[in-house]
Amino acid sequence: MSPVRIVVVGDALLDRDVDGTSTRLSPDAPVPVVDVGDVFASPGGAGLAALLCALPPAVGPVPVEVTVTLLAPVAADAAGHELAAALGEVALERLGHEGGTRTKTRIRSAGQTLVRVDEGGPGTPVGVSASHVSAVLAGADAVLVSDYGGGVTRDPAVRAALAEHARTGTVVWDPHPRGGEPVPGCALVTPNAAEAAAALGAPASTGARELAGTLRERWTARAVAVTAGAEGAHLATATGTELVPAAPVRNTDPCGAGDRFASTAALALGAGTDVTTAVESAVEAAGQWVAAGGAATFRTRRAQGVQGRACLHPGAERLPREVQDLLVDVRAAGGTVVATGGCFDVLHAGHIASLDAARRLGDALVVLLNSDDSVRRLKGPGRPVVGQEDRARVLAALRSVDAVVVFDEDDPRAALSVLRPDVWVKGGDYTPEQLPEAVDVRGWGGEVTVLPYLSGRSTTAILQRAGREG
């Protein structure tokens, strides 16, 4: 599969988190004193959106390989150079930048932001060439417009190039109240409820469903998804408006959730999926983002992960980035990574019991899932009855499962050699010595455990009963 090419157009800035502890007040003013422990810097705004496109979430029909280009104004100052360097694998196409680099510095204590200091800007693009913008957009599978009010979406040359591209290409537009309106023909526009109401001059109490339908007509967009926090997203298309519900999450910091939503939708549309499926994936990914701690946690983990990933086993870079981060987090805390595997074609009570038991053996459970081709080779041409993307999504939604990795071989040894779990768990009525992968697992110091199946439960039996009843 050739890589999916995403171009992100928008306003970039530099986010800094100054983390420390506060145990006393200043003697010269009634304010807390923060003893600095760490300082983390990371691209923000469209820079964050570009990073998220390069780090697809482990949900939905997102592409396996992605190349990302960020087209944004970046100042030629120290903070601008820091921003550019922090983009990592994201390619940067610079536009001229008015003023110093826009920088947001958050002073935090015990995970709580005490104050934010903004510097630089205004960040308006200068000296933009329409031919340069068009050349960058050419060949993109999807273009994500990440508007942070700095002026990129109001620039005539940028708008002309985006309007031309939207006629035949896929443009996802994440708007901002201070930005320009989406150009006609966008495949998807993703305002939140407050942005949608402001765009129409409507009362804040106006329902998201009504806003979505009205804005789709106003913006001449193929689809509009108005995100409504814990409620989910209201998706308006030519056939009507529907609610894509969100699963409840515990964390309440939504910072960056809109970027995760828009980037996931752009990735899915760029990979060729339909807009409803893309929005379903985006809602799920945004919920996972909030549950994981939002943008602040992402920036901290990303900074720490530069060192932590150096401790991963050779080949771990082939794992999804979310799985790499999970391994880094668990092992940095001295925890135990457990893995199990199988087809999980029709999920039943026996599977749930085995997964729950496996999760209790450690601090995180990774499921190695046979791909559709692998299942067909093992089970016959009539299997699987459920495709790998749906099987992976159902497994990932279980409370006992922390991550899912799809593999295409007939046995899990190649995937295991990359993951290298501390404990490998299989269900069945055989001994560990009968498993061909046992030698490999023990070779890196891992343990092999066999759990008994829950009696009377199996996918084959379920399908046989379904066939008789049918």
Side-chain angles (χ1 to χ4, degrees):
M1 176 180 177
S2 59
V4 171
R5 180 170 179 252
I6 306 293
V7 175
V8 179
V9 181
D11 311 286
L13 52 94
L14 185 66
D15 277 319
R16 283 201 181 99
D17 290 297
V18 180
D19 283 349
T21 57
S22 180
T23 58
R24 66 194 191 280
L25 293 177
S26 170
D28 48 36
V31 295
V33 175
V34 177
D35 294 312
V36 176
D38 294 293
V39 178
F40 302 111
S42 181
L48 173 60
L51 287 178
L52 294 179
C53 285
L55 301 173
V59 297
V62 294
V64 175
E65 293 186 66
V66 184
T67 64
V68 182
T69 299
L70 171 63
L71 177 68
V74 176
D77 56 12
H81 293 312
E82 186 177 3
L83 191 162
L87 286 169
E89 60 198 68
V90 173
L92 175 62
E93 287 285 343
R94 290 175 180 257
L95 298 176
H97 183 289
E98 182 180 349
T101 298
R102 298 169 70 199
T103 303
K104 296 181 179 180
T105 303
R106 298 167 182 84
I107 312 297
R108 298 164 57 85
S109 174
Q112 177 66 47
T113 299
L114 303 180
V115 66
R116 193 184 88 184
V117 180
D118 288 5
E119 303 173 84
T124 307
V126 293
V128 179
S129 163
S131 60
H132 174 217
V133 177
S134 296
V136 175
L137 301 183
D141 294 292
V143 172
L144 170 59
V145 179
S146 180
D147 191 351
Y148 269 76
V152 169
T153 60
R154 295 193 303 272
D155 183 88
V158 173
R159 291 189 64 81
L162 287 170
E164 180 63 29
H165 190 84
R167 291 190 180 98
T168 56
T170 298
V171 175
V172 176
W173 195 293
D174 190 10
H176 190 279
R178 296 195 302 271
E181 284 201 350
V183 299
C186 288
L188 178 65
V189 186
T190 64
N192 61 36
E195 291 166 344
L200 291 171
S205 59
T206 307
R209 179 184 181 90
E210 178 185 348
L211 293 170
T214 304
L215 284 173
R216 194 189 78 83
E217 294 181 3
R218 170 172 170 165
W219 287 335
T220 322
R222 283 176 264 171
V224 169
V226 175
T227 57
E231 185 181 351
H234 291 267
L235 173 63
T237 64
T239 59
T241 305
E242 62 178 311
L243 172 64
V244 179
V249 297
R250 295 178 184 175
N251 198 300
T252 57
D253 183 1
C255 183
D259 294 300
R260 178 76 281 184
F261 182 96
S263 63
T264 302
L267 284 164
L269 290 172
T273 191
D274 62 274
V275 71
T276 299
T277 303
V279 171
E280 289 172 348
S281 300
V283 167
E284 185 176 359
Q288 291 184 358
W289 171 267
V290 173
T297 299
F298 170 80
R299 290 192 294 270
T300 302
R301 285 183 173 177
R302 184 169 182 268
Q304 294 172 335
V306 171
Q307 295 178 333
R309 262 186 282 277
C311 300
L312 293 177
H313 299 291
E317 68 277 358
R318 300 198 299 272
L319 293 169
R321 188 61 65 92
E322 285 76 13
V323 179
Q324 295 181 43
D325 291 343
L326 176 67
L327 296 178
V328 169
D329 289 345
V330 173
R331 286 172 174 153
T336 299
V337 176
V338 182
T340 189
C343 302
F344 297 96
D345 192 3
V346 177
L347 204 64
H348 53 72
H351 290 139
I352 302 299
S354 294
L355 292 169
D356 286 346
R359 181 61 175 79
R360 288 193 291 269
L361 295 176
D363 301 285
L365 175 63
V366 180
V367 176
L368 300 182
L369 180 68
N370 292 77
S371 69
D372 290 347
D373 288 341
S374 175
V375 175
R376 275 189 285 272
R377 292 193 299 268
L378 293 171
K379 303 289 186 179
R383 300 280 297 276
V385 296
V386 179
Q388 66 190 45
E389 291 176 357
D390 286 347
R391 287 185 286 129
R393 291 188 71 179
V394 170
L395 284 168
L398 298 177
R399 64 184 179 185
S400 58
V401 176
D402 296 277
V404 179
V405 175
V406 179
F407 69 94
D408 197 45
E409 296 77 18
D410 292 344
D411 68 60
R413 281 178 289 184
L416 278 171
S417 69
V418 173
L419 184 66
R420 294 200 178 187
D422 303 296
V423 182
W424 170 241
V425 178
K426 284 291 289 183
D429 54 3
Y430 36 69
T431 66
E433 287 69 25
Q434 293 172 309
L435 297 172
E437 65 269 22
V439 174
D440 296 347
V441 175
R442 287 173 176 149
W444 61 72
E447 301 177 13
V448 179
T449 299
V450 174
L451 298 174
Y453 282 133
L454 191 61
S455 178
R457 275 79 167 182
S458 76
T459 299
T460 301
I462 291 172
L463 294 176
Q464 288 175 343
R465 288 197 300 273
R468 289 198 299 269
E469 293 169 2

Short mmCIF file of all heavy atoms in Angstrom, two decimals, residues 411-414 416-417 420 435-446 448:
data_model
loop_
_atom_site.label_atom_id
_atom_site.label_comp_id
_atom_site.label_asym_id
_atom_site.label_seq_id
_atom_site.Cartn_x
_atom_site.Cartn_y
_atom_site.Cartn_z
N ASP A 411 1.15 -17.36 12.03
CA ASP A 411 1.36 -17.45 13.47
C ASP A 411 1.97 -16.13 13.94
O ASP A 411 2.47 -15.34 13.14
CB ASP A 411 2.23 -18.64 13.85
CG ASP A 411 3.67 -18.51 13.40
OD1 ASP A 411 4.35 -17.55 13.82
OD2 ASP A 411 4.15 -19.37 12.62
N PRO A 412 1.94 -15.86 15.24
CA PRO A 412 2.30 -14.53 15.74
C PRO A 412 3.78 -14.30 15.99
O PRO A 412 4.14 -13.28 16.57
CB PRO A 412 1.50 -14.45 17.05
CG PRO A 412 1.51 -15.87 17.54
CD PRO A 412 1.41 -16.74 16.31
N ARG A 413 4.66 -15.21 15.58
CA ARG A 413 6.05 -15.09 15.99
C ARG A 413 6.72 -13.80 15.51
O ARG A 413 7.47 -13.16 16.25
CB ARG A 413 6.84 -16.32 15.52
CG ARG A 413 6.64 -17.55 16.40
CD ARG A 413 7.38 -18.76 15.89
NE ARG A 413 6.77 -19.28 14.67
CZ ARG A 413 7.16 -20.39 14.05
NH1 ARG A 413 8.19 -21.09 14.54
NH2 ARG A 413 6.56 -20.81 12.96
N ALA A 414 6.45 -13.41 14.26
CA ALA A 414 7.07 -12.19 13.75
C ALA A 414 6.58 -10.97 14.52
O ALA A 414 7.37 -10.08 14.89
CB ALA A 414 6.77 -12.02 12.26
N LEU A 416 5.38 -10.96 17.57
CA LEU A 416 5.89 -11.07 18.93
C LEU A 416 7.34 -10.61 19.02
O LEU A 416 7.74 -9.98 20.00
CB LEU A 416 5.78 -12.51 19.42
CG LEU A 416 4.42 -12.96 19.97
CD1 LEU A 416 4.41 -14.46 20.20
CD2 LEU A 416 4.09 -12.22 21.26
N SER A 417 8.12 -10.91 18.01
CA SER A 417 9.54 -10.53 18.04
C SER A 417 9.72 -9.02 18.05
O SER A 417 10.75 -8.52 18.51
CB SER A 417 10.28 -11.14 16.84
OG SER A 417 9.86 -10.53 15.63
N ARG A 420 7.72 -8.05 21.82
CA ARG A 420 8.46 -8.61 22.96
C ARG A 420 7.76 -8.38 24.30
O ARG A 420 8.28 -7.70 25.19
CB ARG A 420 9.88 -8.06 23.00
CG ARG A 420 10.72 -8.51 21.82
CD ARG A 420 12.19 -8.40 22.09
NE ARG A 420 12.98 -8.87 20.96
CZ ARG A 420 14.29 -9.02 20.98
NH1 ARG A 420 14.97 -8.72 22.07
NH2 ARG A 420 14.94 -9.46 19.92
N LEU A 435 3.50 -24.78 22.02
CA LEU A 435 3.38 -23.56 21.25
C LEU A 435 4.70 -23.25 20.54
O LEU A 435 5.73 -23.12 21.19
CB LEU A 435 3.01 -22.39 22.16
CG LEU A 435 1.67 -22.47 22.90
CD1 LEU A 435 1.56 -21.34 23.91
CD2 LEU A 435 0.52 -22.42 21.90
N PRO A 436 4.71 -23.10 19.21
CA PRO A 436 5.96 -22.85 18.50
C PRO A 436 6.62 -21.54 18.90
O PRO A 436 7.84 -21.40 18.82
CB PRO A 436 5.54 -22.83 17.03
CG PRO A 436 4.07 -22.58 17.04
CD PRO A 436 3.55 -23.20 18.29
N GLU A 437 5.83 -20.56 19.36
CA GLU A 437 6.39 -19.27 19.73
C GLU A 437 6.98 -19.26 21.13
O GLU A 437 7.63 -18.27 21.53
CB GLU A 437 5.33 -18.17 19.61
CG GLU A 437 4.16 -18.31 20.57
CD GLU A 437 3.00 -19.09 19.98
OE1 GLU A 437 3.24 -19.87 19.04
OE2 GLU A 437 1.88 -18.91 20.47
N ALA A 438 6.78 -20.33 21.90
CA ALA A 438 7.25 -20.35 23.28
C ALA A 438 8.77 -20.17 23.37
O ALA A 438 9.27 -19.48 24.25
CB ALA A 438 6.83 -21.65 23.96
N VAL A 439 9.50 -20.80 22.43
CA VAL A 439 10.97 -20.69 22.45
C VAL A 439 11.39 -19.24 22.26
O VAL A 439 12.30 -18.74 22.95
CB VAL A 439 11.58 -21.58 21.35
CG1 VAL A 439 13.09 -21.35 21.27
CG2 VAL A 439 11.28 -23.05 21.64
N ASP A 440 10.72 -18.54 21.33
CA ASP A 440 11.06 -17.14 21.08
C ASP A 440 10.79 -16.28 22.32
O ASP A 440 11.61 -15.45 22.71
CB ASP A 440 10.25 -16.60 19.90
CG ASP A 440 10.57 -17.31 18.59
OD1 ASP A 440 11.58 -18.02 18.55
OD2 ASP A 440 9.81 -17.14 17.63
N VAL A 441 9.61 -16.46 22.91
CA VAL A 441 9.23 -15.64 24.07
C VAL A 441 10.21 -15.84 25.22
O VAL A 441 10.69 -14.88 25.83
CB VAL A 441 7.80 -15.96 24.52
CG1 VAL A 441 7.45 -15.19 25.80
CG2 VAL A 441 6.80 -15.60 23.42
N ARG A 442 10.54 -17.08 25.47
CA ARG A 442 11.47 -17.35 26.57
C ARG A 442 12.88 -16.88 26.23
O ARG A 442 13.68 -16.59 27.13
CB ARG A 442 11.46 -18.85 26.87
CG ARG A 442 10.17 -19.28 27.58
CD ARG A 442 10.08 -20.77 27.73
NE ARG A 442 8.89 -21.15 28.48
CZ ARG A 442 8.23 -22.28 28.32
NH1 ARG A 442 8.66 -23.16 27.42
NH2 ARG A 442 7.17 -22.55 29.05
N GLY A 443 13.16 -16.76 24.92
CA GLY A 443 14.49 -16.31 24.51
C GLY A 443 14.78 -14.89 24.95
O GLY A 443 15.94 -14.54 25.15
N TRP A 444 13.77 -14.04 25.03
CA TRP A 444 14.01 -12.68 25.52
C TRP A 444 13.59 -12.51 26.98
O TRP A 444 13.42 -11.40 27.48
CB TRP A 444 13.33 -11.62 24.65
CG TRP A 444 11.83 -11.72 24.55
CD1 TRP A 444 10.91 -11.43 25.52
CD2 TRP A 444 11.06 -12.09 23.39
NE1 TRP A 444 9.64 -11.61 25.05
CE2 TRP A 444 9.70 -12.01 23.74
CE3 TRP A 444 11.40 -12.48 22.10
CZ2 TRP A 444 8.67 -12.32 22.84
CZ3 TRP A 444 10.39 -12.78 21.22
CH2 TRP A 444 9.05 -12.71 21.59
N GLY A 445 13.40 -13.64 27.68
CA GLY A 445 13.11 -13.58 29.10
C GLY A 445 11.64 -13.49 29.45
O GLY A 445 11.29 -13.21 30.61
N GLY A 446 10.76 -13.70 28.46
CA GLY A 446 9.33 -13.63 28.72
C GLY A 446 8.76 -14.93 29.27
O GLY A 446 9.42 -15.98 29.24
N VAL A 448 5.38 -17.70 29.31
CA VAL A 448 4.29 -18.21 28.49
C VAL A 448 3.24 -18.82 29.42
O VAL A 448 3.57 -19.66 30.27
CB VAL A 448 4.78 -19.26 27.48
CG1 VAL A 448 3.61 -19.79 26.65
CG2 VAL A 448 5.86 -18.67 26.58
#
